[in-house]
Amino acid sequence: MNIQSAISREIFVPKDEKLLVAIEVRRRMKRKGLSFLNASRKRDYSTFLCLSVTNSQPAQVLITKVKRYPGTRQFAKRSQWSVEQLRQVNGINPDKDTPEFDLVFDRTSDQWVAGSAAEKCMFVQVLYHACQNYWEAKLGKPSTPGEQKIPGAPENKKSPDAPCQTNFVNCQQKLMGDACSVNMVIYRCKIFLNRMKNSMTANQGRLQREAAAVKASRSRSRSSPSPRAGRKMGNAMRRASQVLSERGERLMRAEEKTGHFFHGAKQFAEAAQKLALKQI
């Protein structure tokens, strides 16, 4: 079970909500004030931004901050906002894919860095279309969040009671274009490739550390003065070496399968990107 499925099962299903997307993030800038308190806090937990919609009518679109602390597999909900409280989504760079983005709410704002540029683009894209669908259902007419103002154009005056829609600034046009489904496939492929790459790197590092530990234990066993202790150590080392060899074989098979999936997903992402360029 992946992280998004686990978060959905623990946090959103009991609340009768449907999880649309969840990404892991970290803060880009430290909060000001109370620095002596912030210095004493541990920052080794994981933070996830989740976008969900309620199953009850009228549907509400919610942004939830979820954390998971080290030593536990459980997730904890920390903060939650509705899209009506979301004033601005800042994509930082409208010219290229970057992992940085800002969320501005009524009474707070956060500067985030996603795990990858693809994860950030996927989150912003899903958020944009969720906001668009929400405001269309609420206002009863087509809505375009983040619409750019044209200089010199007459400004439509809104009544004081009219809700303020979310403004999307510095976001790439492809995230809000017609080829959104193709872009989603591309981003999911990129996320998959990035996770597979990280997994392969972690497996190789773990295998190297275990091999180094076995080599160090063998060198210590050779210098042991007791024959009986040496035999026991030799038997233990043979068993450890056999276990390590079996684990290495399993890792090699897993890496071969991962490499096959990696190559296939890369080809699929390239084909989807060419199709998206043709549709622009």
Side-chain angles (χ1 to χ4, degrees):
M1 180 180 295
N2 58 23
I3 291 179
Q4 181 165 328
S5 300
I7 294 176
S8 177
R9 184 186 63 180
E10 294 184 22
I11 303 296
F12 296 99
V13 171
K15 298 294 184 180
D16 196 24
E17 298 177 15
K18 179 182 178 180
L19 180 61
L20 301 179
V21 63
I23 61 171
E24 186 172 358
V25 295
R26 58 181 175 83
R27 290 194 183 277
R28 190 172 74 252
M29 298 177 62
K30 296 182 179 179
R31 290 181 178 270
K32 297 181 180 179
L34 299 179
S35 58
F36 63 95
L37 292 178
N38 293 334
S40 61
R41 294 179 181 176
K42 295 183 178 180
R43 298 294 183 181
D44 52 355
Y45 52 78
S46 300
T47 303
F48 302 88
L49 278 184
C50 307
L51 181 66
S52 64
V53 60
T54 59
N55 293 321
S56 59
Q57 298 296 328
Q60 297 291 322
V61 180
L62 304 170
I63 299 174
T64 307
K65 183 166 63 176
V66 176
K67 293 185 179 180
R68 183 172 67 177
Y69 294 90
T72 178
R73 294 185 177 181
Q74 296 180 345
F75 299 90
K77 183 173 73 173
R78 289 307 179 196
S79 305
Q80 190 173 67
W81 304 269
S82 68
V83 293
E84 293 191 6
Q85 296 174 293
L86 180 61
R87 292 290 165 255
Q88 185 184 92
V89 178
N90 190 340
I92 305 300
N93 194 328
D95 299 324
K96 66 177 182 178
D97 295 344
T98 58
E100 298 86 4
F101 66 101
D102 297 345
L103 298 180
V104 180
F105 299 94
D106 283 335
R107 298 182 179 180
T108 185
S109 63
D110 290 314
Q111 296 80 36
W112 297 109
V113 178
S116 64
E119 292 183 62
K120 171 247 185 165
C121 291
M122 182 177 68
F123 181 82
V124 172
Q125 185 177 34
V126 175
L127 178 59
Y128 175 82
H129 290 283
C131 290
Q132 188 179 36
N133 294 334
Y134 173 80
W135 288 112
E136 286 181 3
K138 185 176 181 65
L139 302 178
K141 60 181 181 179
S143 174
T144 54
E147 184 177 359
Q148 299 291 335
K149 294 182 179 180
I150 301 176
E155 184 176 353
N156 297 327
K157 295 184 178 180
K158 298 181 180 180
S159 62
D161 297 333
C164 182
Q165 300 183 31
T166 305
N167 187 26
F168 287 76
V169 299
N170 297 325
C171 296
Q172 295 172 284
Q173 289 299 321
K174 66 179 181 180
L175 303 181
M176 299 172 279
D178 296 333
C180 59
S181 59
V182 178
N183 288 331
M184 188 66 66
V185 172
I186 295 174
Y187 293 138
R188 290 190 182 276
C189 288
K190 289 182 178 179
I191 293 171
F192 173 77
L193 295 176
N194 185 58
R195 289 177 179 173
M196 289 297 100
K197 181 180 178 181
N198 294 337
S199 177
M200 292 174 63
T201 303
N203 289 336
Q204 290 177 355
R206 184 169 64 244
L207 187 61
Q208 291 176 356
R209 289 193 297 269
E210 291 177 354
V214 170
K215 185 176 180 180
S217 300
R218 285 179 176 176
S219 63
R220 287 194 299 268
S221 65
R222 290 173 182 173
S223 60
S224 177
S226 173
R228 174 181 260 176
R231 286 194 297 270
K232 290 183 178 180
M233 181 64 70
N235 294 333
M237 292 310 304
R238 281 192 294 272
R239 289 195 297 269
S241 179
Q242 182 179 0
V243 171
L244 181 60
S245 178
E246 293 175 354
R247 182 176 297 181
E249 291 177 359
R250 289 196 297 269
L251 285 175
M252 289 296 294
R253 290 194 296 268
E255 287 182 2
E256 290 178 358
K257 293 181 180 180
T258 302
H260 177 71
F261 290 142
F262 186 92
H263 182 68
K266 186 176 181 180
Q267 289 182 334
F268 184 76
E270 292 175 354
Q273 190 168 11
K274 291 179 180 179
L275 179 61
L277 292 176
K278 291 181 180 179
Q279 294 183 0
I280 295 176

